[in-house]
Amino acid sequence: MRLIFIGPPGIGKGTYATAVSERYGIPHISTGDIFREEVKRGSELGRKVKKYLEAGELVPDEIVIEVVRERLKKEDCRKGFILDGYPRTLRQAEELDKMTSIDLVLNFHAPDEVIIERLGGRRICVKCGAIYHVKFMPPKKPGICDKCGGKIIQRKDDTPEVIKHRLEVYRRVFTPIINYYKEKGILLDVYAGEPANIVIPRILKLLEEHGFKPEK
Ligand code: AMP
């Protein structure tokens, strides 16, 4: 099952992807997570992409396409994958079509107010990447990850100025991508303006209705 998840930052894609990934035994591949990890490690790739991430701007196509090409070659992608954050340009979408064939594209949407509330309160564990929300999904102990005991922080690009810019960038860049998959007839709109415990069963039902049988 080869999926793409599309949706504005803060819509909950990471949470939904984790649920689908566990149910179907396929990896969740977030190009944003890959880049953040490389920046943290201080690798050559990390040094190249750091300035774009900090400014909320797109990393150049040549870099992103190669990262995804190499990632999809890995053994764990044999049964499928969930791509999150990729493609963001038509060139990335066309290159992806040369690498593999996508079954479904889930387009998550919600009103702007919901997105802004979610983003401003989002927190992430520096160690394992677990996602929290100050209001909707707080950790048991403030500032400390339930899963690994790591420190919970606000992502540098979840601050108000950067959020506003990221939403503008999202609208500008994803409209052609959404249209690209709509024309191919594989785009599904999924309403994600409710809590994750409502949205996740909605997604799993949708996938089963499209003939994808879960692993567990
Ligand atoms: P995300 O976590 O998906 O919001 O990604 C965080 C940042 O990583 C973005 O603001 C971009 O700077 C970069 N990035 C992630 N995926 C891509 C992509 N497909 N194309 C270009 N830049 C990307």
Side-chain angles (χ1 to χ4, degrees), residues 39-106:
V39 170
K40 216 167 83 187
R41 282 181 40 212
S43 67
E44 195 190 328
L45 174 61
R47 284 199 300 277
K48 271 193 214 157
V49 302
K50 191 166 186 256
K51 61 175 184 283
Y52 301 104
L53 265 77
E54 284 179 349
E57 294 289 356
L58 291 182
V59 169
D61 278 346
E62 308 79 71
I63 299 176
V64 194
I65 290 164
E66 276 322 298
V67 164
V68 170
R69 194 195 308 283
E70 288 310 310
R71 183 64 189 84
L72 296 187
K73 279 184 195 160
K74 294 208 171 138
E75 175 65 19
D76 64 342
C77 293
R78 224 172 12 96
K79 278 189 294 175
F81 51 79
I82 303 161
L83 264 179
D84 166 7
Y86 181 101
R88 268 172 154 98
T89 66
L90 286 176
R91 189 169 151 222
Q92 291 179 18
E94 284 158 6
E95 289 299 324
L96 181 65
D97 281 342
K98 294 180 199 162
M99 297 175 212
T100 186
S101 77
I102 298 299
D103 297 308
L104 283 178
V105 178
L106 304 195

Side-chain angles (χ1 to χ4, degrees), residues 112-151:
D112 272 10
E113 313 84 74
V114 174
I115 293 163
I116 289 161
E117 190 178 24
R118 283 185 187 172
L119 269 177
R122 181 160 75 170
R123 299 292 181 272
I124 184 165
C125 170
V126 279
K127 215 164 136 198
C128 75
I131 300 160
Y132 296 90
H133 191 282
V134 286
K135 189 166 151 199
F136 306 122
M137 219 204 294
K140 291 193 187 93
K141 277 191 220 149
I144 296 180
C145 179
D146 294 347
K147 293 180 184 155
C148 77
K151 193 173 152 213

